[in-house]
Amino acid sequence: MSHAWVDPPRPVRACIFGVDGLLINSEDIYTDIFNELLVPQCNKPLPWTIKAIQQSRGDEPLVEKTGEDSDLINVFEAKAMKRRARFGACQLLPGVEKLLSDLSSALPELPHSDPVELAIASSTTKPLFKTKTLYSSLGRWFRNDACVFIDYPDMRGKGQGAKPALDLFLLALDRINESLEAAWSKRYNERARSLISPGECLVFQDSIADVAAGRAAGMRVCWVPHEGLREVCRGMEQIVLEGKIEEVEHLLLKLEDEAEKADDMEVGDIRTNNVDPKKQKITADNKGMERIVSEDGWAELISSLEHFD
């Protein structure tokens, strides 16, 4: 889904974060587990062209690619058993702690504003989130009522199984506004002067599906892809930032098909004519950190949270 926004982005009053591959290194653990289980089955590791789509649609693209049979089902069941033991070793990714510290004390560019609100919206479950963050300091930056997971009762029937699940972001915003109303009522015995709108939220996510979800929710988006995802999406940046998930998946599958036809080439080495890079504003800081801004200014790509500005 694309959006022709008329108004320029508004000052940010709330930041909503994903978890896997953005705040913690769990995405690499997922990849390691998949490869350990799939290499004996498929004789090759999981390519990022397929993993990018898997982030959107669960195990479905893997089943389509490897053939659906009882052995494969057993593989995925084994994956679920193994991952819980591994996720206890998750660590914060570079730049996360400093960014959250800076944001928690930041004030929007608005008169008489409260500090920027922080929330989590994740398609993981709450028990698995606790396992992944058991030994990190992540919990100190987010209130419990500002964390939304896919297994919450309010998410039943919404976004289950497949992304983009914009309801996660909208529910996180509802939780933030409920907290603001409660605080204002207690402090001033009146309703909050101004609740936060979707256009005043900045979503931080790593997957193409979550970029699409953030855009569909009417929020600004900062896309921070894994370097593997970044490589296979070169030339598609504007399409991703516009939230055109079906078009991106179509191009990724074409890349994977070309990679299979080219015996000794990696997908990253293939620049297909099917990808039409648009003119885009690309900048880099003095450390070479990449930044690409969407044409409407409502989404951007950065290569790391270490240098978010």
Side-chain angles (χ1 to χ4, degrees):
M1 179 183 298
S2 63
H3 301 268
W5 298 104
V6 176
D7 298 327
R10 285 164 259 172
V12 173
R13 297 177 60 196
C15 292
I16 301 175
F17 292 84
V19 176
D20 295 306
L22 179 79
L23 300 180
I24 58 176
N25 66 334
S26 50
E27 200 61 62
D28 288 327
I29 297 175
Y30 273 116
T31 300
D32 289 343
I33 293 172
F34 269 112
N35 287 339
E36 289 173 10
L37 296 167
L38 288 174
V39 168
Q41 181 82 11
C42 308
N43 299 316
K44 69 174 184 177
L46 178 65
W48 262 101
T49 44
I50 300 301
K51 183 172 175 60
I53 303 174
Q54 180 212 12
Q55 289 179 315
S56 307
R57 296 196 280 128
D59 291 336
E60 178 187 345
L62 295 181
V63 172
E64 292 174 354
K65 206 69 185 175
T66 57
E68 186 171 7
D69 54 36
S70 59
D71 290 338
L72 189 60
I73 293 173
N74 291 335
V75 166
F76 293 138
E77 289 177 349
K79 176 199 74 172
M81 294 291 290
K82 292 184 69 172
R83 68 184 183 183
R84 294 186 179 277
R86 297 278 190 88
F87 284 142
C90 284
Q91 299 178 350
L92 294 182
L93 288 169
V96 168
E97 194 157 13
K98 182 180 185 304
L99 173 61
L100 295 177
S101 177
D102 291 345
L103 287 175
S104 65
S105 59
L107 292 174
E109 297 176 0
L110 293 169
H112 313 297
S113 294
D114 291 319
V116 172
E117 297 287 333
L118 303 182
I120 281 177
S122 174
S123 57
T124 193
T125 64
K126 185 174 182 179
L128 197 51
F129 171 78
K130 287 184 175 180
T131 298
K132 294 173 181 176
T133 59
L134 185 61
Y135 299 106
S136 77
S137 60
L138 195 58
R140 64 183 288 201
W141 307 111
F142 300 95
R143 302 189 314 269
N144 285 334
D145 63 354
C147 296
V148 176
F149 304 101
I150 199 67
D151 60 341
Y152 273 25
D154 290 341
M155 285 301 298
R156 286 174 184 164
K158 300 178 180 179
Q160 293 286 355
K163 299 180 183 180
L166 66 157
D167 297 289
L168 276 168
F169 302 132
L170 295 176
L171 181 56
L173 176 56
D174 286 344
R175 293 286 184 86
I176 290 172
N177 280 329
E178 288 170 5
S179 176
L180 287 177
E181 284 196 300
W184 269 89
S185 176
K186 183 177 181 180
R187 192 185 315 168
Y188 302 111
N189 196 28
E190 62 181 34
R191 290 177 60 86
R193 289 177 298 183
S194 176
L195 298 182
I196 299 173
S197 68
E200 295 172 309
C201 296
L202 175 59
V203 171
F204 289 84
Q205 287 290 347
D206 68 311
S207 76
I208 58 176
D210 285 317
V211 173
R215 295 301 307 260
M219 300 177 178
R220 295 170 64 179
V221 178
C222 182
W223 181 34
V224 192
H226 186 283
E227 59 184 9
L229 179 59
R230 175 71 189 94
E231 182 58 34
V232 298
C233 285
R234 289 195 182 277
M236 310 177 198
E237 294 92 345
Q238 285 293 334
I239 306 173
V240 175
L241 294 175
E242 290 171 8
K244 297 179 178 178
I245 185 171
E246 292 183 359
E247 187 173 342
V248 175
E249 289 185 356
H250 176 71
L251 292 170
L252 288 170
L253 288 173
K254 283 193 173 182
L255 278 175
E256 175 60 19
D257 288 341
E258 289 198 14
E260 289 186 347
K261 294 174 184 176
D263 291 338
D264 297 319
M265 296 181 67
E266 297 291 337
V267 169
D269 298 326
I270 299 173
R271 295 274 66 90
T272 174
N273 291 330
N274 295 317
V275 179
D276 181 19
K278 296 182 179 181
K279 291 182 178 179
Q280 50 198 2
K281 182 180 178 182
I282 303 177
T283 59
D285 63 16
N286 57 9
K287 294 186 179 180
M289 301 304 294
E290 188 177 34
R291 181 172 185 256
I292 299 176
V293 180
S294 66
E295 293 179 345
D296 62 6
W298 279 74
E300 66 177 291
L301 176 156
I302 60 174
S303 50
S304 171
L305 288 178
E306 288 182 276
H307 298 86
F308 175 77
D309 185 3

